[in-house]
């Protein structure tokens, strides 16, 4: 049975807050529950019930939501009347409100006024401070294919994977359509070596492969895995720009944003002092 919130809500709320439907606020919204000056409206309750929820489940959800809302309202009202450090709390709330207001203002200001970062700026920043962008994991480029044990043409496939010329890649791709369990071409992009190890039983260290030959073959109980590593970078070395460019842009953006805000705040202060908006006592400057 589909949810009929318009039918369920009045019945449930009648049990929970008898007579509350007589309370009609100035906004014209229909109040469902009131606790002191707190009001829970019927449209707010209806919004918590997903479309298509069964009637019994909807009723239970509404009861639970109203109970939790009312308990929170009662507890807050009781705490507000009995708290001993209300002045301190009010001060904390005001400080948070000021900080939140300033934060959102600065976010909007930066979005509207700070110049966009160009690709050339990102590359220049990377070159000037590349030591900042060190790899935490090995990364590789290459081709990987997994085929069932006993598949026809395995020897030819292995020869093609070893050479990996343009014609070989075309052959491997056609072979993958017919017989492969899985196939990954990543010659043109960097892949985390740990990610590859989840796809095939590779050695823990990439040096166990690349130290001998760029080609590696291994088998398990059901498949033969072949991989050709065309390029690699070890953890602890500087990450290639193509792999880290998004991170470089993020770092540069955050740096420029911080500098932009600092300069804006300095200018704002200087202008306010010069205009007399900021007034100092005789012993303060």
């Amino acid at each position: 049975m589909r949810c009929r919130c318009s039918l369920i809500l009045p019945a449930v709320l009648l049990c929970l807050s008898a007579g509350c439907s007589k309370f009609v606020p100035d906004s014209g919204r229909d109040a469902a529950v009131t606790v002191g000056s707190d009001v829970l409206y019927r449209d707010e309750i209806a919004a918590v019930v997903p479309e298509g929820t069964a009637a019994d489940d909807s009723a239970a959800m509404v009861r639970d939501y109203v109970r939790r809302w009312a308990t929170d309202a009662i507890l807050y009202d009781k705490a507000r009347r009995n708290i001993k450090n209300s002045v301190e709390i009010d001060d904390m709330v005001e400080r948070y409100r000021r900080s939140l207001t300033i934060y959102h203002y600065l976010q909007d200001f930066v979005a509207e006024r700070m110049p966009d970062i160009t690709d050339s700026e990102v590359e220049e920043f990377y070159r000037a401070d590349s030591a900042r962008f060190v790899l935490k994991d090995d990364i590789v480029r290459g081709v990987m294919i997994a085929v069932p044990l006993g598949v026809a043409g395995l020897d030819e496939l292995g020869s093609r994977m070893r050479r990996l010329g343009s014609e070989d890649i075309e052959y491997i791709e056609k072979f993958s359509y017919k017989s492969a369990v899985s196939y990954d071409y990543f010659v043109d992009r960097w892949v985390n070596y740990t990610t590859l190890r989840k796809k095939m039983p590779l050695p823990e260290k990439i040096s166990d492969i690349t130290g001998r030959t760029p080609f590696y073959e291994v088998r398990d109980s059901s498949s033969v895995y072949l991989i050709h590593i065309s390029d690699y970078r070890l953890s602890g070395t500087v990450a290639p720009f193509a792999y880290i460019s998004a991170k470089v842009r993020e770092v540069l953006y955050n740096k420029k944003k911080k500098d932009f805000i600092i300069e804006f705040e300095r200018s704002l202060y200087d202008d306010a002092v010069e205009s007399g908006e900021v007034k100092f006592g005789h012993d303060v400057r």
Side-chain angles (χ1 to χ4, degrees), residues 2 10 31 34 39 51 85 99 105 119 135 142 147 165 173 178 187 196 201 214 225 244-245 265 272 275:
R2 295 179 63 83
T34 61
V39 181
E51 181 68 23
N85 57 341
S99 297
Y105 168 71
D119 293 341
L135 289 169
V147 296
E173 288 182 347
K178 296 185 297 181
V187 174
L196 288 182
Y225 304 87
I244 203 74
S245 60
E265 290 176 341
S275 68

Side-chain angles (χ1 to χ4, degrees), residues 46-86:
V48 307
V49 181
E51 181 68 23
T53 305
D56 290 345
D57 293 336
S58 298
M61 290 175 65
V62 170
R63 289 192 187 94
D64 180 64
Y65 182 80
V66 171
R67 178 182 292 275
R68 285 186 286 110
W69 178 90
T71 301
D72 181 76
I74 294 166
L75 185 59
Y76 175 65
D77 183 63
K78 187 175 183 64
R80 185 172 49 189
R81 287 185 283 106
N82 290 276
I83 197 73
K84 295 180 180 179
N85 57 341
S86 60

